[in-house]
Amino acid sequence: MAVHMSCHVLPLNYKLRHQLKIKTGPSISCSMQSSSSSQSNIKVIINGAAKEIGRAAVLAVTRARGMEIAGAVDSRHVGEDIGKVCDMEEPLEIPIINDLTMVLGSISQSKATGVVVDFTDPTTVYDNVKQATAFGMNSVVYVPRIKPETVIELSAFCEKASMGCLVAPTLSIGSILLQQAAISASFHYNNVEIVESKANAADFPSQDAVQIANNISSLGQIYNREDISTDVKARGQVLGEDGVRVHSLVLPGLPSSTTVYFSRPGEVYTVKHDITDVQCLMPGLILAIRKVVRLKNLVYGLEKFL
């Protein structure tokens, strides 16, 4: 049996890395995977399957090569076929169950490679990952507003258990590219403002705006020095201590949008990303599922694999 070694350089967000007490240099995650594991499909369990993103995930996994839906967990539509809930032409003959442990137990008996995709709630993520790990399955976590303390606890748990977990603040590849462009630009401009819009009222600033602000902070740059200390509400909210300002708009009819403006005398550099449908998250999700099966620890951020 052939055995392949794969290694990934996994730098972390500066602030989260500091909280995790990880050295400033990139960490190296290496894992072993036998070639025989690639001969069978990855069994995917969607936790939060009845949500809009969960239904989109079911369709995306069903269409992707090398993986298949093996379980659907939710507190809604219990007992209904997940294929019918997703308006598929044919039922998948997989009923929605509200007990994750029961689904994990049935999948683990097959000895197949399994991944749990978690779309649930920040308060349940830690227990969900623990359950998945207990049954020998890695996890992909996409839960907005997950607390840094939870990520730290999960990182320690996964390290001890030698099990993989990918915590993704975003699954949008476009959003990741926006963040990478913002980091590159932050070394060259002294002024930056983030403007975001959503069609419906939600928690603001958004997770994307917070992550952009975190990623361009603590890099030795202080932004917007002219009015960094102003308390005028119309100037937006300052995130962190480096002067990054965020303005959040709620305008029905607009796509979910994030724009980062950089400027210096005589020049404005703008980076923008729009999301019009949850489908944009599916390529990132499929990539996350393919990558997490090789991990033996926690990785924060899908950008480590782009």
Side-chain angles (χ1 to χ4, degrees):
M1 180 184 298
V3 176
H4 303 292
M5 171 75 79
S6 62
C7 297
H8 305 282
V9 179
L10 307 173
L12 284 176
N13 168 300
Y14 176 88
K15 291 190 174 182
L16 185 61
R17 181 175 59 221
H18 177 72
Q19 290 173 305
L20 291 170
K21 297 181 179 171
I22 294 176
K23 296 179 181 179
T24 55
S27 59
I28 304 295
S29 174
C30 298
S31 61
M32 303 288 288
Q33 182 183 39
S34 67
S35 59
S36 61
S37 62
S38 62
Q39 296 174 1
S40 60
N41 286 347
I42 301 170
K43 308 293 184 182
V44 181
I45 299 171
I46 307 294
N47 194 2
K51 294 183 176 182
E52 180 184 11
I53 188 172
R55 298 194 303 272
V58 170
L59 293 172
V61 170
T62 301
R63 296 166 181 164
R65 295 180 59 184
M67 61 184 70
E68 62 184 274
I69 294 294
V73 182
D74 209 296
S75 59
R76 296 173 296 171
H77 300 286
V78 175
E80 296 184 39
D81 186 275
I82 187 58
K84 290 186 176 180
V85 172
C86 295
D87 296 323
M88 299 177 69
E89 293 183 2
E90 299 290 337
L92 290 179
E93 299 185 355
I94 298 174
I96 297 176
I97 299 176
N98 62 355
D99 187 336
L100 176 61
T101 303
M102 183 181 299
V103 178
L104 290 169
S106 63
I107 302 304
S108 66
Q109 294 177 1
S110 67
K111 305 298 183 181
T113 300
V115 172
V116 178
V117 178
D118 197 327
F119 295 133
T120 57
D121 184 86
T123 61
T124 62
V125 166
Y126 184 80
D127 288 338
N128 292 342
V129 173
K130 283 185 66 176
Q131 288 186 59
T133 298
F135 286 93
M137 298 184 195
N138 291 358
S139 298
V140 173
V141 176
Y142 176 67
V143 178
R145 301 291 174 183
I146 186 171
K147 295 180 179 180
E149 308 88 77
T150 302
V151 178
I152 293 169
E153 292 172 357
L154 280 175
S155 179
F157 174 78
C158 292
E159 190 75 28
K160 184 176 181 180
S162 294
M163 292 296 293
C165 177
L166 173 58
V167 177
T170 182
L171 288 171
S172 166
I173 293 176
S175 179
I176 293 171
L177 295 176
L178 173 76
Q179 292 176 34
Q180 292 175 341
I183 292 172
S184 297
S186 67
F187 292 100
H188 305 284
Y189 295 90
N190 297 323
N191 294 279
V192 59
E193 307 239 350
I194 302 171
V195 180
E196 61 177 355
S197 66
K198 292 187 180 297
N200 303 302
D203 291 334
F204 287 115
S206 70
Q207 183 68 40
D208 284 344
V210 170
Q211 180 146 7
I212 292 170
N214 285 341
N215 283 338
I216 65 177
S217 295
S218 303
L219 297 176
Q221 174 75 285
I222 300 297
Y223 307 96
N224 310 316
R225 291 179 181 271
E226 298 81 1
D227 64 351
I228 190 173
S229 61
T230 184
D231 58 358
V232 177
K233 293 182 178 180
R235 288 292 297 116
Q237 179 181 345
V238 177
L239 294 183
E241 301 176 354
D242 297 334
V244 181
R245 293 187 176 277
V246 178
H247 308 261
S248 301
L249 313 177
V250 179
L251 293 170
L254 283 183
S256 177
S257 177
T258 304
T259 306
V260 187
Y261 294 89
F262 291 93
S263 75
R264 60 188 175 197
E267 182 180 34
V268 176
Y269 175 63
T270 306
V271 189
K272 183 179 181 182
H273 177 243
D274 294 335
I275 291 179
T276 58
D277 192 275
V278 72
Q279 293 295 331
C280 75
L281 306 179
M282 295 304 106
L285 174 64
I286 298 303
L287 175 63
I289 293 171
R290 295 193 196 284
K291 296 298 184 180
V292 78
V293 296
R294 302 186 179 188
L295 297 180
K296 298 297 181 183
N297 57 1
L298 182 142
V299 171
Y300 186 84
L302 182 62
E303 64 270 17
K304 311 306 186 302
F305 301 107
L306 294 186

